[in-house]
Amino acid sequence: MTRKARFGLGFWIAIFLTSLAALSAAPARAAEWRPVPIYGGDVRSLVISPGDPDVLLAGTSAGQVYLSQNGGRSWQDAGAALPFPGWVVSKLVFDPNRPVDHPRLWVALWGVWGSGQVAYSDDLGKSWSARSAGLPDEPVYTLAPSPGHEDRLYAGTLSGVYGSEDGGASWKRLTADLPEMAKVTSLLVDPSQPDTVIAGTWRQAYRSEDGGHTWAGIFQGMVLDTELFSLTPIPEHPGEIWASTCGWVYQTIDRGATWTRFKTGLDERRTLSFAALPDGRLLAGTVAGLYASTDAGRSWGRIGDPALSIMGIAIDKARPDRIVLATEGSGIWLSTDGGKFFERTSRGMTNTRVAALVTVGDDLLVAINHAGPISGIHVSHDRGRTFDGLFAPIPTVVDLAVHKGRPYAATERGLYQRLGQDWHRVAELGDGRIEQVLSDGTTLVARTAAKLYELRGDKFAEHSWKHGAPRSAALLAGALWATDEKGLYRLTANANHTILTPGSGTAAMTSHLDRLAADRLVLWGPAGAWTRKDDPEALWVELPAKPTRVVSTGDLRYPLLLVTGDKAELFDHETKALKPVALPVLARDVTSALILDGKLLVGTSGYGVLVGGLE
C-alpha cells in the first residue's frame, strides 16, 4: 500500500486546496493556467437532477465533476476544477429522501492507488463533505441510498457491502459472513420494497431482504463468473430488474430469484450499462456501441457508433426523446430524437489523455489516445488557441516528431507520416509498435523494441545496431546515440562507440536518453539525471534533482521539465538552475511538454493540454 492510500478523502481535499492556494507565489499561478479547447472525457458516472431534467452531472476517471444546465449540450466545472485529484468518480447518485428543491448528491470514489471514499454535496458539486469513517482502505465502486429510510446508505467495496444508518457518518461491514461477496460493483435498493437490497459482484448476485443484515446468493439462471456492472429496475413492473454484465444482459421478474439471459443480436458481450426508455424500448451500452431492443430484450440491434464504449446512460421521463450517453474517453453523446441520431456534446470537458505535442509552423499537433472515435491527431492552425474539431483517426500514438517540415507519428501499429492533411503508414516499417521517432533536422530515426531505422532518401533502412534491444535514442552532433540494458553507445557511419555512463556504466543509468541542447545529451534513470557534451573528454554533470521522469520541451533556454513525484521543475540551461512550476494538476500525470510563444504547454493523462505562463 502506498502512502497516499493510507489517508482519507478529507486529507487529500485539504492538501489539494492548500496546493491551489500556494500557487499564488509560484512562477505560474493557478489562475494563469487554461486548457486548450480539445473537448472529451472518460466519463464513468452520469446522473440527472430529480428536480430539473435539464441539469446533469458527470464524473470522470481523473477526478473531475462536470455540470450541465442545458440537458447535456455543454458542460462546466461543477465546483473546483479538480475536486478529487487521483480518484475515479465511479458513482454519482441523488438521495431519494431529500426534497428535489434541496437535493443531496452522493459520490463513490476509488483511487488509482487502491483506496476509496464516499462524499456528498448539497450544492450540485460546488463543495463536498467526506463521509468515510469506518469504510475500509479500499476502492468504493458504487453507492445506494435507501428510499424511505432517511440516512440509510449502502456502499459496494472491494471486500463487500458496507452500510450506514447515520448518513455516512459511520459505516459497518454487512457481508462479513460471506467473504465470497467481493468487488461489489453494483447495488440496487428495490424501490417497491426498500428493505430488499441486491448486490452485483465480480462473479454473481446476492440479495438481502432485511436491510442488509443477512444475505444469500441469487444464482438461478445466471452463469458463474458474471460480473454485474449495473442493476436497473422497471418501476412499472415491480420485481422486474435488468442486469448488465460481462456476459450480455439478464432479466429477473421475481426480484432476482431467477434470471434469464438475453444475447441475440448483441455482438459484444461486455455490457457496461442499461436503460429502459419511456416508450418501452430497452438500451444496452457495451464496449462496442449502443444496442436497442423493441421486443422486451429477445433481440437486439446496434445503433450509433460501434467505436463508443458506453459507461452510462441517462434518461428522464420528462424528456422522453432525449438519451445521454457517458462514454469511455470520448465524453458525452446526446440524442434528442429517441436514438436515431447522436452527436458529441462534450464542450467544456477537458478530460482527455494526451500522448505527445509538436508544432509545424503555426500548427500545433496534439495526439489524443484512448478516446474512442475521437482518438488521433488534433490540429490547431493558430498555435493552440482554437481547434476546428477535425482530426486524423490513426492508431494509438506513442511519439511525435517533425522532419524537414513533415510530421511523423510513432504508433502501436506502425510509423505514420502526414502528406498534405492526411496521414499514411510508412510501408517498409510494417504495422508493429514504433517506440520512438526523432529528428535533428537532418536525420530521421525510428526505434522499435528490437531495432533502429534511419530514413535514407525516401525509404527507411535498418541501422547497423550491434547491441541489445534499444531502450532509448537521441540524435546529437551528427551521430545517433542509443542505450540498451547494459550501456550507452555513440553510433557513427562506420562504428559503435561505447560511452561510460555515471556510476561506471551501471545499467540503472541507461534507462532514458534525450538531447538537452545542440551540443549536449541528457541521460536519466533511477539514480538521477546527468548531462554531457559531445566531446570525448567530457565528463557527466549531475542535474540538481533526482527526477522520476524528464520531459523535453523543445526550448533552448528551458529544454527539460523534470518531474519528481508530484513536483515539476523546468531546467534553465543558462543558469543551470531549476525553476519550480506550480501545475494545477498532479505532476505525475504529465505526459509531454512544449514551450510555445513564451507559454508552457503541458500534455497530461486525464486533463488535456494545459497552458501556463513561465513568469
Side-chain angles (χ1 to χ4, degrees):
M1 182 183 299
T2 62
R3 183 177 66 178
K4 184 166 185 177
R6 288 195 288 265
F7 292 97
L9 175 65
F11 174 85
W12 285 107
I13 291 177
I15 290 294
F16 184 63
L17 294 176
T18 301
S19 67
L20 289 180
L23 299 190
S24 60
R29 295 180 177 87
E32 295 176 353
W33 290 93
R34 61 174 178 82
V36 305
I38 299 177
Y39 300 123
D42 187 13
V43 183
R44 298 305 179 95
S45 50
L46 181 65
V47 67
I48 299 176
S49 170
D52 187 342
D54 292 327
V55 173
L56 292 86
L57 290 107
T60 75
S61 62
Q64 296 105 333
V65 177
Y66 291 107
L67 170 70
S68 174
Q69 295 176 303
N70 56 9
R73 291 193 171 277
S74 64
W75 300 82
Q76 65 191 57
D77 292 321
L82 190 59
F84 305 116
W87 300 91
V88 176
V89 182
S90 56
K91 182 71 173 183
L92 290 167
V93 59
F94 280 98
D95 195 325
N97 300 306
R98 298 277 171 161
V100 295
D101 55 345
H102 292 91
R104 171 164 289 184
L105 178 66
W106 288 93
V107 62
L109 306 165
W110 61 268
V112 176
W113 302 271
S115 191
Q117 304 290 345
V118 168
Y120 75 85
S121 172
D122 287 338
D123 51 17
L124 292 178
K126 291 180 183 178
S127 61
W128 296 90
S129 299
R131 281 294 184 271
S132 300
L135 284 174
D137 189 18
E138 62 188 31
V140 180
Y141 300 109
T142 189
L143 192 68
S146 180
H149 293 292
E150 189 173 357
D151 294 330
R152 179 181 291 181
L153 297 162
Y154 301 94
T157 78
L158 184 63
S159 63
V161 178
Y162 282 72
S164 174
E165 297 289 342
D166 52 14
S170 63
W171 294 86
K172 179 183 178 181
R173 188 178 180 187
L174 302 178
T175 56
D177 294 336
L178 288 171
E180 63 269 28
M181 282 189 68
K183 194 182 181 185
V184 176
T185 50
S186 57
L187 283 169
L188 173 65
V189 180
D190 191 324
S192 61
Q193 293 184 5
D195 281 334
T196 299
V197 187
I198 297 178
T201 76
W202 70 291
R203 301 194 74 186
Q204 284 186 316
Y206 295 79
R207 182 177 62 194
S208 171
E209 297 180 337
D210 55 9
H213 294 291
T214 60
W215 296 80
I218 44 175
F219 306 148
Q220 186 174 339
M222 186 171 287
V223 177
L224 183 65
D225 293 332
T226 298
E227 181 171 2
L228 280 74
F229 298 116
S230 72
L231 292 162
T232 303
I234 307 299
E236 295 79 12
H237 303 110
E240 182 179 355
I241 300 166
W242 287 84
S244 69
T245 79
C246 63
W248 300 288
V249 299
Y250 287 83
Q251 180 202 39
T252 178
I253 58 175
D254 52 15
R255 293 184 171 86
T258 57
W259 298 90
T260 302
R261 184 171 67 178
F262 295 91
K263 64 178 183 178
T264 301
L266 283 169
D267 303 318
E268 171 55 54
R269 63 181 293 160
R270 192 170 175 83
T271 309
L272 305 175
S273 54
F274 193 92
L277 295 176
D279 62 8
R281 285 181 298 154
L282 303 175
L283 299 178
T286 77
V287 297
L290 182 68
Y291 288 77
S293 173
T294 59
D295 55 7
R298 289 186 293 275
S299 63
W300 297 83
R302 182 157 47 198
I303 59 176
D305 193 332
L308 292 175
S309 181
I310 314 297
M311 306 297 295
I313 307 170
I315 58 171
D316 193 288
K317 289 183 178 180
R319 301 288 187 270
D321 291 327
R322 188 177 67 196
I323 304 169
V324 189
L325 305 180
T327 72
E328 182 178 14
S330 57
I332 298 294
W333 291 70
L334 175 67
S335 173
T336 56
D337 58 8
K340 297 183 180 69
F341 172 76
F342 283 90
E343 61 177 322
R344 183 163 60 94
T345 56
S346 303
R347 184 175 184 84
M349 288 185 171
T350 54
N351 169 226
T352 53
R353 299 184 180 102
V354 179
L357 306 167
V358 75
T359 56
V360 185
D362 285 335
D363 285 359
L364 170 66
L365 278 61
V366 181
I368 302 293
N369 286 342
H370 311 301
I374 66 168
S375 297
I377 307 293
H378 293 247
V379 180
S380 167
H381 300 297
D382 54 10
R383 304 172 76 81
R385 287 184 288 276
T386 62
F387 288 78
D388 58 14
L390 301 176
F391 62 96
I394 67 175
T396 301
V397 176
V398 180
D399 195 14
L400 289 175
V402 176
H403 181 66
K404 297 183 178 179
R406 177 171 295 169
Y408 288 80
T411 81
E412 290 188 344
R413 298 295 303 275
L415 181 69
Y416 282 72
Q417 60 178 328
R418 189 173 76 172
L419 301 174
Q421 295 303 311
D422 297 322
W423 291 78
H424 302 270
R425 185 163 57 83
V426 176
E428 60 266 28
L429 293 185
D431 60 359
R433 179 182 170 94
I434 307 296
E435 301 285 349
Q436 187 180 6
V437 60
L438 55 152
S439 172
D440 62 358
T442 302
T443 303
L444 179 67
V445 172
R447 177 177 65 85
T448 71
K451 297 179 180 180
L452 296 165
Y453 295 89
E454 183 177 331
L455 183 63
R456 295 173 185 166
D458 60 354
K459 297 288 184 181
F460 278 86
E462 187 175 339
H463 204 286
S464 57
W465 172 251
K466 304 175 182 178
H467 306 283
R471 301 173 65 171
S472 62
L475 290 164
L476 181 69
L480 172 61
W481 298 66
T483 69
D484 66 7
E485 64 177 5
K486 295 181 179 179
L488 168 66
Y489 312 94
R490 183 178 184 271
L491 285 61
T492 57
N494 54 11
N496 285 198
H497 304 278
T498 302
I499 306 297
L500 289 178
T501 60
S504 302
T506 58
M509 278 311 303
T510 65
S511 298
H512 304 278
L513 182 68
D514 210 333
R515 189 171 78 167
L516 174 64
D519 63 344
R520 189 175 289 271
L521 284 175
V522 60
L523 183 69
W524 60 277
W530 307 73
T531 70
R532 63 163 283 164
K533 289 186 176 181
D534 179 36
D535 182 337
E537 305 299 324
L539 298 176
W540 290 98
V541 178
E542 188 173 10
L543 293 180
K546 291 189 181 298
T548 50
R549 283 187 301 116
V550 174
V551 181
S552 297
T553 68
D555 189 62
L556 293 178
R557 177 166 181 182
Y558 300 110
L560 303 174
L561 181 68
L562 279 63
V563 177
T564 308
D566 278 328
K567 179 174 67 174
E569 299 169 298
L570 283 168
F571 177 67
D572 189 331
H573 188 47
E574 292 183 5
T575 66
K576 305 299 185 289
L578 296 177
K579 181 184 182 69
V581 178
L583 296 171
V585 299
L586 302 173
R588 63 169 176 81
D589 289 325
V590 172
T591 61
S592 49
L594 192 68
I595 292 180
L596 182 65
D597 301 332
K599 299 287 186 180
L600 174 62
L601 279 68
V602 175
T604 70
S605 177
Y607 318 101
V609 179
L610 302 170
V611 183
L614 291 176
E615 301 298 336

